[in-house]
Amino acid sequence: MRTLSRLGHEKISDIAARHGFSASAVREMLDAVIAGNGSMAQVSHPEFGGAGQWMRGGMTMVSDMFNHRLAARVESLAAHLAEISASRAARDFFDEEQDSERNWWPAELGTPSSTGRQNTFAYAYFGGKHRLAINDGGRIRIYDTLGQEITGVSQQQSDVGTIRFSTASGDIDLSALPLL
């Protein structure tokens, strides 16, 4: 977790007041949005109704699936933070850029098309290079996606073998991709 600057604490408090969440909930969402490169977030916080997901473009899920008001508030917060994370203003939130912590994949892969993180598991998908980087508790592995465009991910347990990625031609297990 990156260290917030004094200005970052102030901005988090302002955003929390605007959206009706605590500063800790906003901080958790900010970290998740940044980890998802501003296009997705996976969070678990009591104020969000427990575990939930957000994707830019309209997909928001909260544990209380019939609480449409909460889902709309989470959507609004995540979209607001995604807008900030995509701008230069995001740098004002932190004492220092810690890209080496954030960009855990090999530099030669460049900028990922999408990323995601849950607990000690993270992935980064590089569509143009047909590569998928996996960080499982600090162990980095690179896979060939065989030309498949990855559009989603599901994880049933923390075991890497149970991870499935969605593609246009159906789901594919991580274990089916060649390890490079």
Side-chain angles (χ1 to χ4, degrees):
M1 183 180 297
R2 297 163 70 186
T3 305
L4 285 177
S5 66
R6 183 187 55 75
L7 182 58
H9 282 287
E10 291 173 11
K11 288 183 175 193
I12 292 285
S13 294
D14 291 346
I15 293 167
R18 176 178 176 187
H19 291 277
F21 291 110
S22 70
S24 71
V26 171
R27 175 62 197 268
E28 182 158 331
M29 181 64 79
L30 175 63
D31 288 339
V33 167
I34 288 172
N37 278 347
S39 63
M40 64 181 77
Q42 191 167 23
V43 295
S44 182
H45 194 279
E47 291 179 52
F48 303 142
Q53 298 177 343
W54 167 83
M55 289 185 80
R56 183 186 302 272
M59 194 288 294
T60 302
M61 295 184 343
V62 295
S63 293
D64 183 358
M65 68 179 140
F66 299 110
N67 190 338
H68 303 292
R69 183 173 183 268
L70 176 60
R73 290 177 54 225
V74 169
E75 163 69 28
S76 178
L77 172 63
H80 184 181
L81 293 173
E83 191 175 301
I84 290 169
S85 73
S87 72
R88 297 180 67 79
R91 286 187 264 172
D92 295 341
F93 278 75
F94 303 102
D95 280 334
E96 59 186 67
E97 284 295 316
Q98 296 172 341
D99 287 335
S100 61
E101 177 183 319
R102 184 172 165 215
N103 297 344
W104 49 265
W105 51 85
E108 63 268 14
L109 291 175
T111 302
S113 305
S114 64
T115 63
R117 173 180 303 271
Q118 181 176 13
N119 301 322
T120 62
F121 174 83
Y123 76 92
Y125 167 60
F126 303 85
K129 296 187 178 185
H130 306 292
R131 296 292 182 258
L132 177 67
I134 300 293
N135 181 343
D136 187 26
R139 183 175 172 215
I140 311 295
R141 289 174 285 174
I142 310 299
Y143 294 86
D144 184 339
T145 64
L146 303 173
Q148 296 287 332
E149 181 181 345
I150 292 177
T151 58
V153 62
S154 65
Q155 179 181 11
Q156 295 182 1
Q157 298 174 2
S158 62
D159 178 22
V160 171
T162 63
I163 297 166
R164 297 176 62 86
F165 291 90
S166 301
T167 71
S169 50
D171 288 349
I172 187 166
D173 286 336
L174 178 61
S175 60
L177 298 175
L179 179 63
L180 300 177

